[in-house]
Amino acid sequence: MGYDIARLHHVGHIVDDLAQALTLYERLGFVVPPPSCPAMSLREGAVPEPFGAANTHADFPRSFLELATCIEDGDTDRLPAGTRLVPLQAPAELLPRLVERISETTANLAAFLNRFEGLHILMFSSPDIDATAARLTAAGVRHGGVNTVRRAAPPGAATPVETVRYLEIDGDEPGARPGSVAEGRVGIVADLDPDVQGARHLDHPNGAVDLVEAVLCVADQELTAVQQRYETYLGRPARPEGPARVLDLDGAALTLVPASGLAAFLPGERRPAALPALAGCTVAVRDLAHTHGLLRRNGLPLRENPSGGIFVPADAALGTAVAFRQAAPPTAPA
């Protein structure tokens, strides 16, 4: 059966101190380039200043991990060294709307950070985002429609401009901000362009090759409702796995874990400060023994999980458990 949502596109780790987060991800064995941040002139003729949110990625061939933080207008002290400022460019009649959208996104990130530092962004990947949008609308899921943004492609890409098409799901709960649900920013993004993505840095010292799981912790009494919500989002059923519910994707999964079962699923982990919450993510690595050794040499605490992988606990990873598992062997051609 074909589905219009194929895999995990990315998760977003919202942090207070981006420089600290970059150091953490380096110790975790990821290569993360210097962040970028929108910039705009606060008055006519002035030099553009940071505005909105700064972010960067640890990239894989078909997914990535995002690091992001909020930036107050002109607050350059919060930006790590080497941050690339990207002046906002748009026709004069469109610039106010662009600034408004960035301000809305930044307000959402600030609200997420007020909940707790950790994962607050969960984006899925679709080979046909217009079909996905139509299906969600027919199912009664509120969303902001498909947005299109264009940005400079990385050096070496076949095209100078990367086009990104995405939609954000709107929550139904009272007081929900546009573009967010109870657990954070959830949405769908068109599949990454392999030519553009392949030009990014994809060789990590820890051997990471893909984002293969997001773990969403929910209050026990809300498990059924959240399961039904994500079954509607993804257009596919969940399966039980002990107390958890798993929505299988192409080589990845979203795992819903009741709060009472989190410590068994990720031994020693405590429920997040607010529920529902993205409690962790898992990346596949080429050689788990190599990854284990690298993390130990970098002084990071490690725990084993029942599935045979390892993870760095949330207390040591800025509010999110970062797990590693052995990548599946490549499938032989038929």
Side-chain angles (χ1 to χ4, degrees):
M1 180 177 180
Y3 296 105
D4 57 58
I5 293 178
R7 59 181 67 92
L8 291 172
H9 189 277
H10 72 275
V11 293
H13 193 169
I14 312 304
V15 299
D16 183 63
D17 186 331
L18 194 52
Q20 179 187 24
L22 291 172
T23 299
L24 167 67
Y25 272 66
E26 181 179 356
R27 294 177 65 212
L28 289 167
F30 296 108
V31 173
V32 183
S36 60
C37 182
M40 65 177 297
S41 299
L42 302 182
R43 59 187 180 280
E44 186 175 357
V47 174
E49 297 184 17
F51 167 75
N55 76 327
T56 185
H57 302 162
D59 285 293
F60 316 122
R62 60 182 192 176
S63 58
F64 60 84
L65 304 178
E66 179 182 15
L67 285 173
T69 194
C70 304
I71 301 296
E72 298 294 334
D73 295 355
D75 187 5
T76 56
D77 291 340
R78 290 178 54 80
L79 293 176
T83 298
R84 182 172 63 95
L85 297 184
V86 182
L88 296 181
Q89 295 181 342
E93 67 274 14
L94 298 180
L95 190 58
R97 176 55 183 155
L98 178 59
V99 171
E100 180 184 359
R101 284 175 53 187
I102 292 176
S103 297
E104 290 172 352
T105 299
T106 305
N108 282 345
L109 295 184
F112 301 155
L113 194 54
N114 284 339
R115 291 183 79 213
F116 59 87
E117 189 172 40
L119 291 185
H120 293 280
I121 298 174
L122 173 61
M123 304 298 279
F124 299 94
S125 186
S126 172
D128 188 345
I129 193 168
D130 295 303
T132 301
R135 177 180 60 79
L136 292 174
T137 298
V141 176
R142 297 172 58 246
H143 60 85
V146 178
N147 299 294
T148 300
V149 297
R150 293 177 176 84
R151 60 192 181 195
T159 175
V161 178
E162 179 181 18
T163 300
V164 180
R165 304 187 71 224
Y166 70 96
L167 67 82
E168 297 171 310
I169 294 173
D170 295 332
D172 293 320
E173 60 274 12
R177 292 176 175 271
S180 71
V181 295
E183 56 271 21
R185 181 181 182 231
V186 175
I188 321 296
V189 190
D191 284 350
L192 288 163
D193 182 331
D195 291 330
V196 174
Q197 189 65 5
R200 295 189 165 98
H201 196 294
L202 306 175
D203 187 14
H204 301 278
N206 61 17
V209 294
D210 202 4
L211 170 65
V212 295
E213 184 182 39
V215 178
L216 180 60
C217 183
V218 303
D220 288 43
Q221 67 273 19
E222 297 295 326
L223 179 61
T224 298
V226 175
Q227 173 185 331
Q228 292 172 346
R229 179 156 58 89
Y230 275 91
E231 287 178 333
T232 302
Y233 294 168
L234 301 180
R236 65 183 71 205
R239 61 177 173 84
E241 187 172 293
R245 300 293 183 269
V246 180
L247 290 109
D248 293 304
L249 300 162
D250 178 12
L254 170 66
T255 302
L256 310 177
V257 181
S260 63
L262 182 63
F265 186 80
L266 292 170
E269 287 296 282
R270 297 188 298 271
R271 58 178 283 170
L275 296 176
L278 291 160
C281 64
T282 304
V283 297
V285 296
R286 288 189 292 267
D287 183 341
L288 186 60
H290 166 80
T291 306
H292 187 285
L294 180 145
L295 296 171
R296 283 293 191 203
R297 289 193 299 274
N298 288 345
L300 290 162
L302 291 177
R303 297 177 186 157
E304 295 184 1
N305 57 33
S307 65
I310 57 176
F311 70 96
V312 177
D315 285 349
L318 298 177
T320 183
V322 181
F324 303 85
R325 75 171 58 146
Q326 180 66 48
T331 303

